Amino acid sequence: MNGETVLVGGIRVESLEDGAVWRATLATPKANVLDMDKIEALTGVFERAAQEPDLKAVIIDAEGRHFSFGASVPEHLPGRFETMIPAFHGMFHAMLDSSVATAAVVRGQCLGGGLELAAFCHRVFADSSAKLGQPEIVLGVLAPVASVILPERIGRPNAEELLLSGRVVDADEALALGLIDEL
């Protein structure tokens, strides 16, 4: 994928630095919702990344003012979640299996599944407009990936507070917590 740009499933993938870096952009603003199309496209990006020996990193960013409002709520409904949840988890397995460094570039809202995606990256960079949170508890559910990755990233007490309150934090607090690495 040297020097090319591909748009698949609402994800635009660009090859940079002679193929050493790929940028995967969530390309459906305003919300950049992580629906099945994007989940499958990102999974494909990381499955392909695992086959590229010269690839050093994948950067995940987003078009528009917001990183992502999270996973698709309609796809959490009966008859759809049975497919969506395993695919969502599979995306993270593909990220791990790729053995490629990952970075998220966050601005605006980064919520729910969007925060799970960003927090799963090795590094998270954000601008001052970033607002990060796991509001799933407001809908009566827990965020499965965040329940695993947030304690590792920000410590168990901070993770529990965010997961159980649904509170959204601004960029400065996210930096202080360790939720983002650089502002």
Side-chain angles (χ1 to χ4, degrees), residues 100-113:
V100 173
T102 54
V105 179
V106 174
R107 67 187 160 281
Q109 300 289 326
C110 179
L111 304 172

Side-chain angles (χ1 to χ4, degrees), residues 49-89:
Q51 307 303 315
E52 298 288 333
D54 295 331
L55 182 63
K56 306 296 181 219
V58 175
I59 300 166
I60 302 171
D61 69 2
E63 284 183 8
R65 293 180 40 219
H66 302 288
F67 184 77
S68 176
F69 289 3
S72 168
V73 173
E75 290 177 357
H76 278 80
L77 296 174
R80 297 185 75 187
F81 79 90
E82 299 87 350
T83 302
M84 190 279 291
I85 296 293
F88 186 67
H89 294 168

Side-chain angles (χ1 to χ4, degrees), residues 97-122:
D97 292 344
S98 74
S99 299
V100 173
T102 54
V105 179
V106 174
R107 67 187 160 281
Q109 300 289 326
C110 179
L111 304 172
L115 179 53
E116 289 174 301
L117 177 60
F120 204 81
C121 290
H122 295 103

Side-chain angles (χ1 to χ4, degrees), residues 2-23:
N2 195 2
E4 63 183 282
T5 300
V6 178
L7 179 63
V8 151
I11 303 292
R12 186 179 59 255
V13 182
E14 299 170 87
S15 176
L16 309 168
E17 304 294 326
D18 293 323
V21 177
W22 291 354
R23 179 174 36 219

Side-chain angles (χ1 to χ4, degrees), residues 30 32 62-69 105-111 124-133 168-175 180 182-183:
K30 161 182 178 180
N32 289 311
E63 284 183 8
R65 293 180 40 219
H66 302 288
F67 184 77
S68 176
F69 289 3
V105 179
V106 174
R107 67 187 160 281
Q109 300 289 326
C110 179
L111 304 172
V124 180
F125 301 93
D127 77 6
S128 61
S129 71
K131 305 279 189 220
L132 299 94
V168 175
V169 298
D170 65 18
D172 289 326
E173 186 173 359
L175 181 63
I180 60 175
E182 192 170 322
L183 186 58

